[in-house]
Amino acid sequence: MEYRRLGKTGLKVSALSYGAWVTFGQQIDDETAKALIKTAYDGGVTFFDNAEVYAAGQAERVMGKALADLGFARDSFCVSSKVYWGPTTSNTHPTTRGLSRKHVTEVCHAALKRLRVDYLDLYFCHRPDRETPIAETVAAMTDLIRQGKVLYWGTSEWTARDIALAHAAAREYGLYAPVVEQPQYNLFHRARVEVEYSRLYEDPGLGTTVWSPLASGLLSGKYLEGDPGDTRISMQGMEWLKERFEGEEFEQKCKIVAELGNLAGELGTTLPRLGLAWCLKNPNVSTAIMGASKVYQLEENLKAMNDVALLTDEVMARIDAVAGTRPEPEPLF
Ligand code: NDP
């Protein structure tokens, strides 16, 4: 495992990390969740990602119990939570949604209990909230940091402009600024990480914990022969994702995945490993958060670390040619 600095902070995170979305408290039983955490930890993973909204808090409970049962030293791993939606993405209750001082504070307290920890290493604003002044959220995060309940805070899917505004508020009022962003990043989804945030990596020194590195499993290649039937797209409540795994655009993506599969074979690796290694090749990725519902998936994916060296400039150019997804750089003027 390689350990990378989270942006310009002093915190080092494993380049491959492990998250609980869809799986914990939903798709898999608690024993499997525990086995997955142990596999990840034994493979060098030190960062476990979670959120209030994952299985309405149950994902945090399952992760908290597993971490406690496994008895890992608290200083040997990092754990996160995220605030925005409340218990479900469809929640509209006025006081349990958004980034108000109240919701940010209450979700932190609840996450600490569910995860059975005294502090969150990372605490993310899961989306921007247009109805809360950014300075209010920055101040609430700063208070949690000063109280020792949170060590670093960040954003998820905020625009570069919103992140810059949070930094401006922090400078103006002497508060802690966000140090990390959690964006989607994979071979089919590149612009935000490669273009929009490009000016934030050097100054102020943004770190990234990227999500869905395998595009929800599409880049594992297992959908090439049709729906395998035992994956997340068959789960109740995941109909929206299943719809994305159908139709013309999906067929087009499958052709690309099939070609990438040939390239992976030529390089002596596998599609999931290639997809993850490709993310890690980007030095602005602090950590790629893996998802996995089965232990064999994690065991395979952890080997991706060794495959980064296979991705020479020539191989990267071939991947770009096959995928055709390289975004245009930002115009200079
Ligand atoms: P991926 O894109 O890597 O998808 C993971 C899924 O792909 C697995 O659960 C499994 O699905 C399948 N898979 C993984 N490896 C293999 C393999 N070797 N062979 C076959 N299938 C495989 O990541 P996720 O979409 O799960 O996202 C990762 C994490 O990112 C989440 O857990 C969460 O922590 C975070 N996240 C954050 C978001 C945000 O808004 N901030 C949004 C989404 C995720 P299956 O069970 O179907 O087999």
Side-chain angles (χ1 to χ4, degrees), residues 178-291:
V179 295
V180 58
E181 168 45 47
Q182 187 167 127
Q184 182 177 175
Y185 187 54
N186 56 59
L187 253 162
F188 289 124
H189 196 99
R190 301 173 58 169
R192 182 153 259 179
V193 167
E194 293 183 24
V195 182
E196 183 180 341
Y197 295 156
S198 58
R199 281 188 282 171
L200 300 175
Y201 299 125
E202 190 50 40
D203 179 18
L206 191 70
T208 60
T209 62
V210 305
W211 60 268
S212 286
L214 296 180
S216 254
L218 175 58
L219 281 161
S220 73
K222 68 182 174 196
Y223 294 96
L224 293 178
E225 310 294 328
D227 179 354
D230 64 343
T231 73
R232 62 173 58 171
I233 67 165
S234 300
M235 289 168 61
Q236 208 182 350
M238 297 298 281
E239 294 76 13
W240 61 272
L241 185 65
K242 192 177 169 75
E243 276 173 27
R244 292 186 196 171
F245 280 53
E246 294 163 348
E248 216 173 290
E249 196 182 324
F250 171 70
E251 295 302 328
Q252 193 51 39
K253 285 182 175 170
C254 282
K255 284 190 192 141
I256 294 169
V257 174
E259 271 196 65
L260 291 171
N262 295 336
L263 178 56
E266 210 184 294
L267 294 170
T269 184
T270 64
L271 260 172
R273 284 166 58 177
L274 183 72
L276 287 162
W278 179 89
C279 289
L280 296 180
K281 179 78 180 169
N282 184 335
N284 296 317
V285 169
S286 313
T287 180
I289 313 174
M290 302 177 289

Side-chain angles (χ1 to χ4, degrees), residues 51-53 56-61 64 80-83 86-87 96 102-117 120 123 144 149:
E52 170 202 29
V53 73
Q58 193 55 20
E60 291 183 334
R61 280 188 206 98
S80 73
S81 184
K82 306 187 202 85
V83 54
T96 62
K102 179 174 174 65
H103 191 50
V104 166
T105 305
E106 293 200 346
V107 169
C108 175
H109 290 169
L112 293 176
K113 281 200 196 106
R114 290 191 291 252
L115 286 164
R116 305 187 190 193
V117 290
L120 299 172
Y123 189 32
L144 291 171
K149 292 171 184 163

Side-chain angles (χ1 to χ4, degrees), residues 81-84 99 104 123-129 137-138 141 153-158 181-182:
S81 184
K82 306 187 202 85
V83 54
Y84 176 76
L99 300 178
V104 166
Y123 189 32
F124 293 92
C125 295
H126 214 153
R127 290 294 180 269
D129 176 6
T137 306
V138 178
M141 285 294 187
W153 79 275
T155 58
S156 180
E157 299 295 351
W158 280 30
E181 168 45 47
Q182 187 167 127

